[in-house]
Structure formats: structure tokens, C-alpha cells
Amino acid sequence: MRRTIRYLAIVLFLGSMIAAPRTMRYGAGQTAVDRLSAQLKDRDPKVRERAAKLLGEQGDPTGVPALAEAVTDLDEDVRFAAVNSLGEIRSEAAIPALVSGLADPAKRVRERAVDGLVALYVVLPEGGSAFNLVRRVTDFFSNPVEDLAVNPWIQVDERAAQGLKSALTDRERDVRLRAARALGILRAREVAPELGTAMMVGDRRMRAECLQAFAKMRDPANGETIAKLLRDTDDVTRAEASRTLGLIGARNLLPELRRMYEDDPGKDVRRAAFEAMSLMPEPGLAGLFESKLAGEDRRLREYAADGLARLPQASSAQLLRTRFSAEKDRRVTLALAFALVARQEMPYLQTLMESLDSPFYRDHGIAYLVELGHDSRLLPGYYPFLRNEKPDIRRYLCLVLERVGNPEAMEQLKPTMSDPVDEVAVAATRAYRALGQVKK
């Protein structure tokens, strides 16, 4: 019975990933899509609304033309159902209709049009909203910006990005916020100038959304735009801007971040500037990082270890091993393990893998393992943990391998696709399919 449930879960997941048409036939050659498309012209708006919803459940791209017409229906409920269904079908043929939905007079239709454009490229959470999944930007590390974003190898249609660009100036604040988040999820670098304008004229929440979007784009060219917020009067905004500069790798602004760390009156801002330096360190910062490894501020100890991890030639492994043995804070311990594994001290990989079993430290472990996994010399050390006795270690390691994006892991994932735990088997199957796309 358990194997049957697992098999069905995998089949349903794969079906949602490829949006396979679920075509049913009625009468002489008439399909369900034909029948429901006809009902979209019914005089009763309830009938039209029901038909629009069912076309989305069908998931058949041949239903897109009829739904596209329904996006201009006089009834708001019908328009909402049509836009929602276009997102569920996940076909780029729906882009023009979804873009037109961004101009709908009803706010909820415009919001769902934003979600629909995102849903073409990423699997949204239950309820179909990209806006409710990711928490506000307060700690980029405990809330990794990679949580919801297209894989780097996915090509997003320019029409989707251009449509969302127009929503940045929507009359409703919630739609503008949603559009900024969507542009980040789609990594729409081509609209960075408009996103920068929206950031500068928006309120604190809009600035936070735009900063997170810039972080997902990972383009150092946006550094000067983001740096304008380093002079903002709000401490949270200055801190978020500092972190974002680190995440995008704006190395030309390291002197400015050093100044922020030394002179800014806000303690959290100074921490954020230090963290940003640790994300893109240069050898000249090694002494500063080493001096903070045994300091009183545990977050600075953590970020110092992060910085040294990214400067593997700058400090001795013995120094890091000594601090690892003495450290009591779990996050700092993980950061030190990160630095040691970066120096090919492989016994410390166990510490990072064990974090995958903890809901409190899992995000940190995933981020470290993904970064380390880009070193092909280290990746083979990951594979034995796919057979670990703890299901969550196996499950989230599959996610790590998917994010690393190295197709060489596919062969190692094959046995895990038959894991006795359903969630693990589904995670392995998803990772295998994603790496298959990279290989192509």
C-alpha cells in the first residue's frame, strides 16, 4: 500500500511538472475542451465561471484561446477564473492574455495575472500565490533568496517581463509589490532600471521587495543603484541594501561597505555590512575576519567564518579547527564547518549534512552545501548521504543537488527515486528532472 501511495505521488508530481493535457471526449469527436470552451459563451455568468475553472483543471493548452477571450468577459468572477486557469495550464501561449489581465479594472484579477505569469516558470505553493510564500526581507541568510526563483537555465519569455514591468506603476500598492517580487522570481535583469526607479520612489516595503528582486538577479551591474540606499535614514533599509550588495557580488563597493561597518551608527547596519563583505571577500579582509572569530558578537563570528570559507588560502585549517572545538553557537559551528570543508577537510561535511535534519538550521546548511557543491572536487563526498538513515537528510540533499545544477549527480539520484519515504522519492525525482534539463 505504501509503495502504491509513493508511486501515485510521483506520477501526480510529474504530471504537474509537464502540464500534460488531460483530454476527455464527449460525443462524436467532441473533447472536454470543446465543450467547456462553448460554455464560456453561455449567457449565465455562473456557467462561464465554472467552465473557466474546469478548463484550468484540464490543463490542456488547447483551452488557452477560449480562456484568453474570457479574460475580457464583462463579469469579474469569470475574468478571475480565466486568468487563474491560464496560470494553471502553464503554457507560454497564455502570456498575451495574462499580460492583458494586468490592466484589468479589478485588483484581484491583476494580482492573479502576476501570479499566472510566474506560474509559467516555477511551481507555486498551494493557492497559486507567489506573494504569500516568501517572508519579508529581514535576514537574507535564514530566508535564502533562492527559495522561489526560476532555475538559471530557464529562458523566460521577454513578453512576461515587459508585462510585469508595467505593473510596477500600478495604482494599487499591493499589485506593485507583487510585480516587484515576480520580477525577482523570474530573474528579469532586462527591467532592472525600472525596478530601480520603483525602489527609489516606493515606501519601505517596496524598497525591501525590490532589494530582494535585485538579490535574485545576481547582477553586480545593479550595485550603484542599490548603493543609493546606503544613505537612507531607515536602519533596516540600509542593512538590507548592504546585504544585497554582498549577494550580487558588487566588489567595487567593498570600500563603501567597510566604511559602513566602521562608522554607521546602527548596530544591525554594521553587522549587515560585515556580512556583505563576507559574501564577496578579498584577501585584504582576512585579518579582519580572523580577529572576529573569537569575539563576543556571535553573528560577527558567524560572518567571519563565512568570509574565511571564501578565502580558502587566507587562514590555516588549524585555526578554524580550534575555533570549531571551542564554539558553542550552532550557527557559528556550521559556518566554521563550511570554512573547513572549503579547505577539503571532509570530516566536517557531516556537521553540514546533519543540519538538513533540523528545521532551525536547515536553511543555513542548504545554503552552505549548495555553495560548496559548485566545487566539483567536493561533490562526490555528498553522495553517500543519499543513503543516510534520516529521511530529511536524504530529502533535502536532493534539493541541494538540484540547486547545484551538476548533471553528474543524476546517476546518484536514480536509486533515491525509489526511496521508501514518499517525500524523499518525490524530491529525488524532481532533482533528476531538473538536472536533465541542465544536461540538455
Side-chain angles (χ1 to χ4, degrees):
M1 179 66 178
R2 188 171 181 80
R3 288 189 67 85
T4 300
I5 294 173
R6 181 172 74 254
Y7 175 77
L8 289 173
I10 294 173
V11 169
L12 289 172
F13 174 79
L14 293 179
S16 67
M17 288 295 291
I18 62 175
R22 298 181 287 276
T23 304
M24 300 168 56
R25 293 196 173 273
Y26 296 85
Q30 188 181 45
T31 67
V33 172
D34 296 332
R35 182 170 173 166
L36 293 170
S37 297
Q39 291 176 13
L40 281 175
K41 300 184 183 299
D42 194 277
R43 296 179 62 182
D44 186 344
K46 293 298 181 184
V47 172
R48 300 198 302 275
E49 179 186 1
R50 174 182 174 275
K53 290 178 179 178
L54 290 175
L55 279 170
E57 293 177 13
Q58 283 284 303
D60 189 335
T62 63
V64 168
L67 286 168
E69 287 189 33
V71 170
T72 60
D73 196 282
L74 294 177
D75 186 89
E76 179 183 325
D77 291 336
V78 177
R79 298 197 306 275
F80 181 83
V83 167
N84 189 66
S85 289
L86 286 169
E88 289 182 358
I89 290 175
R90 302 185 70 207
S91 167
E92 288 189 328
I95 291 177
L98 288 169
V99 170
S100 71
L102 294 172
D104 194 274
K107 173 187 171 184
R108 66 176 182 136
V109 176
R110 300 198 303 277
E111 289 179 333
R112 191 45 56 102
V114 172
D115 290 335
L117 287 167
V118 173
L120 296 178
Y121 301 99
V122 298
V123 179
L124 291 176
E126 185 176 351
S129 175
F131 197 68
N132 295 326
L133 180 66
V134 185
R135 299 180 295 274
R136 285 191 61 194
V137 182
T138 54
D139 183 345
F140 275 99
F141 208 82
S142 65
N143 176 27
V145 294
E146 298 298 334
D147 274 356
L148 187 64
V150 296
N151 286 318
W153 56 87
I154 298 296
Q155 184 67 41
V156 175
D157 192 299
E158 185 179 356
R159 294 172 298 172
Q162 293 300 319
L164 289 167
K165 179 181 75 173
S166 68
L168 287 172
T169 56
D170 192 276
R171 60 184 177 276
E172 294 284 350
R173 174 177 180 262
D174 288 347
V175 179
R176 297 194 298 271
L177 292 170
R178 216 178 198 94
R181 177 165 297 187
L183 288 166
I185 292 170
L186 299 182
R187 303 184 195 267
R189 290 185 172 191
E190 63 270 32
V191 298
E194 291 78 11
L195 190 68
T197 299
M199 179 179 71
M200 297 308 298
V201 302
D203 58 13
R204 173 178 166 181
R205 182 71 184 277
M206 187 64 173
R207 292 195 294 272
E209 291 292 349
C210 291
L211 285 171
Q212 191 169 23
F214 278 129
K216 290 184 179 183
M217 291 177 187
R218 289 291 200 272
D219 187 354
N222 295 321
E224 296 295 338
T225 298
I226 296 165
K228 295 174 183 178
L229 294 183
L230 295 179
R231 300 289 193 279
D232 197 276
T233 57
D234 179 63
D235 283 7
V236 173
T237 298
R238 294 200 307 281
E240 291 170 352
S242 298
R243 289 192 191 98
T244 304
L245 289 172
L247 286 164
I248 68 171
R251 293 182 177 276
N252 61 310
L253 290 163
L254 275 170
E256 182 68 9
L257 289 168
R258 182 71 180 261
R259 184 197 65 77
M260 297 283 288
Y261 167 66
E262 293 174 347
D263 300 335
D264 197 279
K267 179 180 180 180
D268 290 339
V269 178
R270 294 196 299 274
R271 277 182 173 173
F274 191 87
E275 180 184 6
M277 290 189 291
S278 79
L279 287 165
M280 50 176 183
E282 58 182 18
L285 292 171
L288 174 63
F289 294 146
E290 289 175 349
S291 72
K292 299 300 178 182
L293 281 178
E296 293 184 1
D297 190 320
R298 59 183 180 179
R299 292 288 75 83
L300 291 188
R301 298 201 304 274
E302 175 188 350
Y303 302 145
D306 288 346
L308 291 172
R310 299 175 179 113
L311 294 171
Q313 307 302 322
S315 301
S316 71
Q318 182 56 49
L319 170 65
L320 296 167
R321 285 195 295 266
T322 300
R323 290 308 313 154
F324 183 90
S325 299
E327 184 58 58
K328 303 300 182 183
D329 184 89
R330 182 71 184 279
R331 278 177 56 167
V332 182
T333 299
L334 288 173
L336 288 163
F338 172 45
L340 284 159
V341 176
R343 288 161 173 76
Q344 300 189 57
E345 297 271 333
M346 298 310 287
Y348 294 92
L349 183 61
Q350 178 80 30
T351 299
L352 296 177
M353 290 293 178
E354 287 176 353
S355 72
L356 301 181
D357 195 45
S358 168
F360 299 104
Y361 301 104
R362 181 177 296 139
D363 286 345
H364 297 77
I366 289 173
Y368 287 141
L369 288 166
V370 170
E371 185 168 341
L372 290 167
H374 291 301
D375 185 340
S376 59
R377 299 171 300 171
L378 302 177
L379 199 56
Y382 289 26
Y383 301 143
F385 290 93
L386 288 171
R387 300 183 292 276
N388 190 275
E389 63 180 6
K390 296 180 179 179
D392 275 352
I393 290 181
R394 303 195 303 272
R395 176 186 180 185
Y396 290 101
L397 179 53
C398 291
L399 175 63
V400 168
L401 293 173
E402 177 185 344
R403 291 184 178 177
V404 169
N406 190 332
E408 292 181 5
M410 294 176 67
E411 195 64 29
Q412 302 293 329
L413 285 164
K414 280 184 179 179
T416 314
M417 293 165 66
S418 300
D419 193 282
V421 177
D422 297 340
E423 292 82 358
V424 178
V426 170
T429 303
R430 176 190 175 105
Y432 186 89
R433 290 178 55 81
L435 296 179
Q437 288 182 305
V438 179
K439 194 172 183 179
K440 292 178 182 177

